[in-house]
Amino acid sequence: MAQAVRVTAERIRKLEVQGARNVAIAAIKALEALAEETSAKTRKQFMKELKDTQATLFASRATEPLMRNAVRWIISQVENSGKENGDALAKIVASSSNQFLKNLETSKELIAEIGAKRIRNNMVVFTHCHSSTVTHLLSKAKEEGKTFEVVCTETRPVFQGRITAKEMLALGVKTTFIVDSAARSFMRNADIVIVGADAITSEGNVINKIGTGTIALLAHEARKPFYVVAELLKFDPATVCGEYLQIEERSPKEVWKDAPEKLEIRNPAFDVTRRDFIHGVICEEGVIPPHAVSEVILRKHPWIF
Ligand code: RUB
């Protein structure tokens, strides 16, 4: 297996690469590196290398369907190519990876264009964690000349909210940074809540950074619209067959480095937001109700099933 694959998997595991999109992009680039470095001569050897790579990348984080869908699609292009020699198969990995990355970029732009329309002048936008899709949408709104403020949570335990805050300040957006437990106090001044997603289930529920479910409840209580922005390919096809989406549980050390012995610390990375609390999923196909995601995905990406 290519060294780049091992290094990428480790970087994803340690959160040096963060956020579902970035994780997927890093995994695709690792496949590109494998295509360049491979010494496989036959189809059998090459497929073995690809499958080992898939297993290593999938094991790096448990709750990342976009990465899984990307890797599965690229491998399926190789499987269906009918080519037999290693070089020809490596070229297919390179070209499919490139195509997938381009499509991801197009989706990101479309989502930003559609979502920016939901931002009106003088709005206070509440967000949680760091989603590159959310911050791109906000940068698009800013580029369009809109004036708005952002409230972002710090996002314990690893403070991804700091990335969001820095990006917003760099854009020249007035930003208020709060501890997670202050969310309820600041919800009343918010006009809209926009968060990203790691996964969308067949029932239209959304999995995102731990705390998102609570923020959705707070938005509901304060009657504020709660939007999720995500590429359709964050849909997890395994949930159609009844599987629960696995929620990654990370090291207790992230929560408390020198905690007293015998203290049980739990550190789930994500939680589930029920579709009832989501006003809309802003995706590359438009603003759609969460329960319609499976239908839209079936129409746009039937291969996923
Ligand atoms: C990041 C997180 C983000 C989603 C969406 O969690 O929950 O909201 O991944 O991000 P972590 P994006 O920091 O644990 O990866 O829109 O960039 O895909």
Side-chain angles (χ1 to χ4, degrees), residues 32-269:
E32 285 180 332
L34 173 136
E36 265 176 39
E37 286 177 30
T38 185
S39 52
K41 297 272 173 282
T42 65
R43 182 182 175 93
K44 197 170 165 203
Q45 288 166 343
F46 191 72
M47 288 316 297
K48 160 114 184 48
E49 232 179 297
L50 268 185
K51 293 286 176 183
D52 290 349
T53 297
Q54 171 172 343
T56 304
L57 291 171
F58 282 16
S60 63
R61 285 200 84 178
T63 319
E64 295 299 355
L66 181 62
M67 181 244 279
R68 286 163 195 266
N69 289 332
V71 171
R72 276 182 49 225
W73 184 78
I74 293 164
I75 294 182
S76 74
Q77 300 305 300
V78 176
E79 278 168 342
N80 299 335
S81 69
K83 301 262 190 282
E84 290 299 332
N85 97 26
D87 282 349
L89 293 167
K91 281 198 182 113
I92 292 173
V93 169
S95 60
S96 318
S97 300
N98 195 276
Q99 193 182 333
F100 201 99
L101 287 173
K102 273 197 188 137
N103 292 346
L104 262 187
E105 200 50 37
T106 310
S107 301
K108 180 178 165 183
E109 290 308 323
L110 280 170
I111 293 170
E113 243 169 66
I114 297 164
K117 293 186 189 146
R118 295 276 148 153
I119 310 289
R120 295 211 186 92
N121 277 332
N122 305 318
M123 266 189 166
V124 175
V125 182
F126 192 114
T127 191
H128 180 53
C129 193
H130 173 258
S131 152
S132 59
T133 324
V134 171
T135 55
H136 190 61
L137 181 162
L138 295 173
S139 77
K140 179 84 186 163
K142 179 78 184 160
E143 204 181 286
E144 290 172 355
K146 298 197 176 145
T147 48
F148 57 91
E149 287 181 30
V150 168
V151 172
C152 74
T153 53
E154 62 175 354
T155 318
R156 283 275 293 148
V158 286
F159 305 107
Q160 290 94 332
R162 292 178 184 174
I163 310 173
T164 306
K166 283 183 190 159
E167 285 185 19
M168 290 302 103
L169 288 184
L171 281 179
V173 172
K174 180 168 184 258
T175 304
T176 307
F177 188 71
I178 59 171
V179 295
D180 300 341
S181 41
R184 188 164 185 245
S185 307
F186 284 82
M187 187 58 77
R188 71 174 78 99
N189 293 329
D191 296 298
I192 188 170
V193 182
I194 308 183
V195 296
D198 286 86
I200 306 174
T201 73
S202 60
E203 290 157 294
N205 300 330
V206 164
I207 283 95
N208 191 49
K209 177 54 55 195
I210 190 80
T212 304
T214 314
I215 289 169
L217 284 171
L218 297 177
H220 180 74
E221 179 197 42
R223 295 171 186 267
K224 307 295 163 112
F226 180 95
Y227 286 98
V228 172
V229 290
E231 293 83 2
L232 283 171
L233 283 174
K234 286 180 175 170
F235 180 82
D236 188 338
T239 56
V240 177
C241 310
E243 299 283 344
Y244 281 106
L245 219 140
Q246 214 187 322
I247 302 277
E248 176 190 357
E249 179 117 14
R250 298 184 61 83
S251 162
K253 297 273 178 228
E254 284 183 353
V255 179
W256 192 352
K257 255 201 194 100
D258 50 358
E261 264 177 53
K262 293 193 187 152
L263 178 67
E264 194 196 357
I265 295 178
R266 300 287 307 273
N267 184 19

